[in-house]
Amino acid sequence: MQLCFDPAPLSNDDVRTIGIWGVGGIGKTILARQAFEKIVLERNEEFKHICFLDRVREECGKHGRGLVYLQNYLFKTLPDSNKDDRIQDIPKGKELLSARLRFHKVLIVLDDVDDFEQIKGLADCSWLSPGSRVIVTTRDKTTLKKCQVNDDKIYEVEKLTPGEAFQLFCRKAFKKSHAPDDHYKDLSDKFVEYASGLPLALQVLGSYLNEEKDWAEVLDKLKEYPEKGIDGVLEISCRGLEHTQREIFLDIACFFNGEDEVRVKKILESCGFYPNNGILDLVDKSLITIEHNKLWMHDLLQQTGQQIAVKEFPKEPGKRSRLWVNNKAYKDKESWHNEVLTENTGTNLVEGMFLCLPEMRQIKLDADPFSKMYNLRLLKICNANFSKCPEYFSNKLRLLEWHEYPLECLPSSFGPHQLVELKMPNSRIKQLWNERLPLMENLVQIDLSNSQSLTKTLDFSMVPNLEELILEGCVKLVELHPTIGNLQHLRSLNLKGCESLESLPPISLGSLKTLILSGCSKLTKFPEIVGSMEKLSRLYLDGTAIRELPVTFEKLRGLILLNLKGCKNLHLSRSSILGSLTSLKDLNLSGCSHVELPENIGNLQHLEELDACDSGIRKVPSSISRLNKLKLLCLNRCKDEQMGLQLPNSFSGLTSLYRLNLGQCGLEERAIPDDIDCLSSLLYLDLSENNFVSLPAGISQLPELKQLSLFRCRNLELLPKTLPSKLTHVSARECPMLKNYSSNLTIRADGGFCHIDCGNPCENEENEDYDHFPLPIPEDHAETHFPKYIEERMKSEESFELRFPHSAIIPDWCSEHSSRDSVTIQLSDSTWIGFALFVVFELLVKEDFDNSWEMKDTFCHFSTSEDPLVLHKFNNFRKGSYGLCCYQPRGRQFARQLSTESRLLKASVSTNRPDLKVKGCALQLIYQKDAAAFVRDLSESANGHLNLNFGRHCKGILDRARELSNSGEVTVIGSNLQELGSNSTSNQGSSSQSTTYSNIEQSNGELQLLLSALYEGFNGREKNFHFIFSHPIISRWFIHHYAGGVALCHLPQHLYDDRRWVGFELYVVLTWSSSDYNNPPHSARLHVDLCSPEGRIMHRCIKIHNLGQQQLVVLHIPRVCFSQHELDQCQGVCALFGTSTLDVEVKVCGSRLAYEQDLKELIKALATECTFKGPLDLLYVQARTYVENMVESPLREALTVQREALVPQFREIWEVSKLFWQDLLLNSGPKEQVHEQDFTSRLDYYMCYLEQKQVLMEPLGHLLVHSKHYLLENRDSIQQHDAERYSESLDRQLYIMAENQLSGSYNIAEWKKSIVVLLQIWKEAILSLKGHTISVLKHFDPSAPYNFCFPQKQILEWFKNQSSKSSKIGMELPQNLYDDDNWRGLVICAAFSVHELPTATLEKLGSEMTVELMCHLSTEEYCLNPIPICSTTKEKFKWLHLRGFIWLTYIPRNFLAEFKDITLVQARIYHGCPGLTVEDTGIRLLYKHEVEELKQAMTQCWTSFFDNSDLIRQFVEEDEIIQSSG
C-alpha cells in the first residue's frame, strides 16, 4: 500500500509499477492479494477497473498460445469492451488492451511473472491512464528491472523471523501458537530451523506433523538430505501421504493444477480415489488450495509431485505412472515422448499421459504405443500428428481427449464403460461407434466441436448421465438421435453452426440450463417441450429459420436470455407468448421483420435490454412504461413506408433507461412523448433521420444526457434554447432547415461544454471531414474549455485540426523540427497513441493576386518507408502567418500500416498557391503518459492568437519557464549563456579554487619558503603578522572586495570546529588624497577593528613608513584570536579600517577565510601578484624578519647562521629588517586610544550585514525564448559570442556599501570618482544600503543579454526622443538592418513607479517571493522569439521603489534573427505586481560606436545614487527605526 500510494517525486497521478520480489514459497502471492483486497476495500472508487491475474507464468505455459490466453481473459473483464472481439495474436492483444486501458485508472495485479514480455503484453505502463497501479510478483528481479521498475518501487519479501516462523509452524502442527511441552518445543525449533523461514515449508511441514507421527524419525530423514532444503521438506511431506491421498496429489500435480474442482472430482471418483475426502485432506495439509472453484497447487509443490513421479523410474519413462509434456520439457528437448511413443517402451505401469505440444509435430510410430498401456486412465493428445494412428485404447480410460483425431470412428475394441469425458474437437469422426455401445454411466461430457465430417450421433440412452454435449460447427450433422430428449442430467447443449440440422425431437430436459442453436439456418421448428424445463436460462435461436414458437414455449419460465436476432421467418403477434416469460432480462428481436411486441410486455418486470432494431415492430405498447429496470431500448429502423413508429404516450416508468435509439423510425412532429424528461438515467439518445420539425421541450430537462444524435433530420428547424446540463455532443449534420445553431462549442450553464455539429456537405465534397476546419470558440471560454475539447477528441480516438493565426514559430513541444516543408520521425515502439503535425504557413500579399488561387490545393502527404497513408487537405487561409496543428489518432485509418515497429513516418507539406509559403513543420509522437502535457501545450499554443488579456499570455510564459527550469531543461538563457543541454555550472570561487597567473615570473624559492613557514602549521593558526606593499596590485585570491573602509566576511556554521580553518586574511588599500604631492606624510597609522554583532573582537594599529600615493596592506588574523563562543554566536564579522592621519583614506578593502588547502595559492599570490611592479626584496625582508623573530623552527636557526655569512651588499637588507622589527615591537605596545563612540556608531551602520545569513544577492535576469528550436538554429553564433565574452570576464565582485559615505570624511565628488575607477577594474559591482542590494552593475558585453535595475524615476537620457509615456512602444526598423555589421542589438528601458505604500503592495503579492518584469516583443501579427525578464525579490523591490526604479534590458543581434523578415518591432512591458505602474518606456537600436556611450550612461546613472547624502541618511535612519520597533 505504501509503495502504491506514498507521495512520489511527481505525484500520485503517475503510472506506477510495484514489484514484489522473493524466492518461491515465501508468500509473494499472499502479500499481493492482501494489498489488492485492501486497496479494493479502501480505495475502490478511485479505479475504473480492477483485476487480479493469478499464476501468469503457469497459465502462459499451460496454454499453447502463451500470452494470448491471458490477454483475452483480461480484455473480457474490461468495462465497455466488445465481447465479440477475439485476440488472435500478441500484437493485436496489445492494441486492444492499450485502447481500453489508456483512458481509465486501473489496478492490475500480475502474479508470478517470469518474463518481462508478460508485463509488456498485459499492462505496459505506457498504455495506462495517470494514477493507474500495476503490482507484479516475481522470483526474478531482473524481470522488473527490464521494465524500468526502480529499486524504491520493489519490495523484497523477507523470510520470517524465528519467532514468526515458530508461531506459524505451531499453528499448523498443534492448532495453537505454541508447543504443548518442552520436548515438542525443542523438536519444533529444529524443524523451524530446517524450514529456513519459508512460510510454504512451515505450513506443509507443520500440517504433516499434525498427525501422530514419530517426529524424531521425520527429523532424521530431513538430516539425510540437508542440501535439499525446502525440496526435502516438501518431498517428505508428500511421500508421507496415504495411498489415495498420494494418488490424488500426483494427479493434480501432473495433470489437473488449475482445473475445475467439480470436473476433477468426477474423474478421480471414477478412479476409486474418494476425492471428496481426499481433496479436503490435501487442503488441510496445505498441499493444495481451492480458489474460485478451481484446484491450485503451489508451483514448488507441483514440482515436488512431478519429481516424485519422475523418480519412480528416472531412466525408464515408460515405467512411470504419469507422463506429461509441457512447454518447458519440450523446449529443453528432454521429453519422454520420443522414447515411449516412437520406440514403444510404454508399459502397464503408465496410468496417465498428457502429450500437449506447443505446436504441431510429426511423431513416427513403428507400432501401437498404447498397446502395452492397458492400465491407462487419463489420455490427452494435442498438436501431435502420428505417422499412423494407434487403434488401441485402454478400457480403463476415464479421460480421452484427442484434438484432431484422424479416424472416422473409435476402435471397436475400445470398451469405454468407465469413460468420464470424451473430447475430440476438430476430429474427422463421422460417427463415434459403428456398433452398439455398452452402457456408459460415468460419461458426463462429449465434445465433438468442429468435427465437420460428423453425420450421426450415438444413442444417447447409452449415456444417461451426460451433462454437456458440444457439437458446435458440425456442419454435416442432419439430425440428433431421438433419445437426446430424455437426458435428464444434460445441462448444456451447444449446436451452434450446425447448418444442416433440420429438426429436433421433442425434449424433456429438466436439468438443461443453456441451449445454443445459433446459426442452425435450416432449423424451421423449435422442438416441442415435454414436461418441465424451468431451469433453462439461456436460449440462443439467432440465425435460425424457425417460423413460430410452440405453445409449450411458455413453460420456459426461468428464461433469462432469449436471442432471436435475424429470425426473419419468425412470426410473433401482439398476443404472443413472449409476455409470459417473466424472468427475461435480455431480449433480442433485431432483424425479425415479422415480429410485434406483445401488449403485455410490461409483465417482463426484470427486462434490462430490448434490442428490436430492423424489426417489424410498428407500435410500442403502453405497458412498456412499467419496465422500470429496462436499461437499453433499441428500435432503430422500426417503421413502414406509410407511417412511422407509434410510441406510447408516456415514458414515465422507464427510470433506468440509459440508451434509447429511435433513429430512422419515421417520427413526425409531436410523436415523441412530452414527458421524455422522465428518463432520468438517459445518457445516449439517437433520433437521427426522422421527420419532426422541433424537439419536445422535455429534452432540455434530461439530467444525465451526454450525447444527442439528430443526423439528417431534414425538417428540423430549431434546437432547444436550453441544452441539458451534461450534454457534451450534438450531432445535427445535414439538417438544412436548422436555424438557431451553427457548428460551435457551446458553453453549458454548469461550465462544461457541448460541441454542436451542424455541418452540411458541400456540393462536390460529400465525404469531407468537418474536423479539418478551424473551430470557432468563444474567446472568454477558450482557456478553460479548449483543453477539455482536445482531451475528449483524443479519448474518442478522433482526428482534429486547429489553426493559430499570427504564429510564426514551431512550438518547443514539437520534438522533430524542420525548417523545410517535410519532416521524418522514427516510430520506435508500439506504445504511442497518435501523432501531431505542426506546420507554419505564411499567406503573402501579392499585387497580382488571382481569386483562382483560393481554389488551389494545399495538402500534407503522410507516408511510411513502404506505404502511402493519406492525403490531408488544408484550406480557408487568411492574411498573415499561421500555425496549424493536425492530430491523427493511431487506432483509426493508420492502424494497419503503422502496426509494425521501427518504421519511418514522413510528412510532406506542399501547396499549389503562389501566395502561400511553408515556413517549417514538425512531427510529434504522442504517448499516453505525455497526453496531459500535450493537451496543455496545444491549448496554450492555440489560445495564443486570441485577443485575450495580455497579462494572461505573459503569465503563461513565465509559468512554463519555471516548470522547464525546475525540470532541468535549458530554455532560460541567463547572462552566462552555456551550451544548450549542458549541466555545467559556473565556478563561484570555492575555497579550493586554483588561480592561473600569467606574465609573472616564478618568485624566489626562498621567499616562498619563508612565507610557508609563517602560514603553515602552528604559526598560521597562532601568529599575527602583516605585509606592506608600496605598489598595490590587489590579488585575485581575495573573494570579497569592498569600496571604502569596511570589509565583511560571512562565517559558515561550526567554523571553529573545522580544523582546516587557519584564520582571516584581510587587505586594505590606502591613498593619500592631498593636493600637496611633494610633501607626503612621513608615516601613517592604520587602525583595524575586527567586530562581531556583539562588539569588538580585536584591535590592531599598524605604522606605515614612507607613505606613497597608494599603499597595500595585507593582514593575517589567526584563529587563536577568536573564541568558539564568539564564532558560534555570529553569522559574520566586520573589519573596520581607519587612519588617524590627515588626507589618508581607505580606498578599498577585502577579506577571505583562509583554509589549509588555500595557503599555497595565497603564498603564490603574495609572491607574484602583490609584488608585481614593486620591489620583491621588501616582501622578503618582512617575511624574513617575522621568521627570525617569531617562528620556532629549524628554518630560524638556518637563517641566523646565514646572516653571519652575509656578503656586504646584503647587509643593508639586514639593517632594514631591524628597523621593521622595531616598528612591530612598537605597534605591539600600548594601544593608541580610539574614540569608542565613533567606533560604536560606525559598527552600528554595518550590524545589519552581520545579522543576515546571505546578503548582497542579485536577483536573476534572464532571456526567455518562445522556441528552443530558434536557439538550436543559431547555436554556433551564440556560443561564439559567449566564448569571447567569457575570456575577459572576472569571477570576483566589488561591494559598495553606501553607508561608507556617511561614516568617513569622504568628499562626494572624490568618492564617485574613486568608484568609477574601481568599476573599470571589477567587472561586477554591487551597491547596497543597510544590508539590502540596491543595484548591480555588471560588465556590459554587446554580444550577450544584459539586465540593469536602478532606483531612479526617469529612463536614461541616452534614449532621448525614442520613448513613450506608456508600457508599450514601437519602432520601425531600417531596411537591411541585419546586414549592417555595425548593428549590435536592441536596448529597451522602462521606468516604474509605485502608487501604494510598500507594505500594501507586498501584501498583495501574497506568498510570491519574486516580482517579475517581462519585455514582450512582437510584430503587429505575431510574437517574436526572445523575451527578456528580470526577477527581483520582494525585499529588494521594497528598496528599489523608494525613488521609483528603471529596468534596462538589452538583446544582442544573435538573438534577433527574426529582424531579417520584419519592418516593425513592438515592445510591451509586463509585470504581475499590483500597484506598480510603467511611467515611461524607451527603445533604441545599439550600434558599435554607441557602446561606450551606453556604458558611460549606465555608470553615471549608477553613481548618481550618492548625489543625495541626506536621502541615504534618511533611508538609514528609517531602517534603524523599523529594526528597533521590530
Side-chain angles (χ1 to χ4, degrees), residues 948-1083:
L948 303 172
N949 185 288
F950 172 72
R952 190 183 308 160
H953 173 63
C954 293
K955 186 177 184 300
I957 295 173
L958 291 173
D959 291 343
R960 180 61 176 152
R962 290 191 199 99
E963 292 178 13
L964 292 175
S965 180
N966 292 336
S967 69
E969 294 187 37
V970 181
T971 55
V972 180
I973 308 304
S975 58
N976 292 339
L977 178 67
Q978 299 171 0
E979 181 178 352
L980 293 175
S982 171
N983 293 322
S984 63
T985 57
S986 60
N987 193 321
Q988 296 301 319
S990 66
S991 61
S992 61
Q993 178 184 0
S994 63
T995 308
T996 301
Y997 301 92
S998 59
N999 302 322
I1000 302 292
E1001 294 184 357
Q1002 198 71 307
S1003 65
N1004 184 281
E1006 186 176 346
L1007 173 60
Q1008 295 199 33
L1009 187 63
L1010 291 169
L1011 294 174
S1012 298
L1014 286 173
Y1015 276 102
E1016 294 177 353
F1018 170 83
N1019 297 309
R1021 288 173 166 78
E1022 297 201 1
K1023 302 296 184 180
N1024 280 286
F1025 48 85
H1026 66 269
F1027 301 106
I1028 301 174
F1029 301 87
S1030 59
H1031 291 78
I1033 300 295
I1034 300 171
S1035 170
R1036 293 177 61 186
W1037 184 87
F1038 288 94
I1039 295 177
H1040 306 291
H1041 308 267
Y1042 299 85
V1046 182
L1048 304 177
C1049 190
H1050 291 276
L1051 307 182
Q1053 290 185 346
H1054 310 298
L1055 176 64
Y1056 197 86
D1057 296 331
D1058 190 342
R1059 304 311 303 170
R1060 299 172 302 170
W1061 176 54
V1062 176
F1064 286 96
E1065 212 69 20
L1066 306 174
Y1067 84 86
V1068 60
V1069 175
L1070 301 177
T1071 180
W1072 176 46
S1073 57
S1074 173
S1075 58
D1076 188 2
Y1077 292 110
N1078 297 320
N1079 298 298
H1082 178 70
S1083 63

Side-chain angles (χ1 to χ4, degrees), residues 1121-1149:
C1121 296
F1122 306 90
S1123 68
Q1124 183 170 4
H1125 172 76
E1126 287 175 325
L1127 295 181
D1128 289 345
Q1129 295 299 314
C1130 63
Q1131 299 164 353
V1133 294
C1134 174
L1136 303 181
F1137 299 93
T1139 69
S1140 55
T1141 305
L1142 186 65
D1143 295 332
V1144 177
E1145 293 183 347
V1146 177
K1147 179 179 180 181
V1148 64
C1149 56

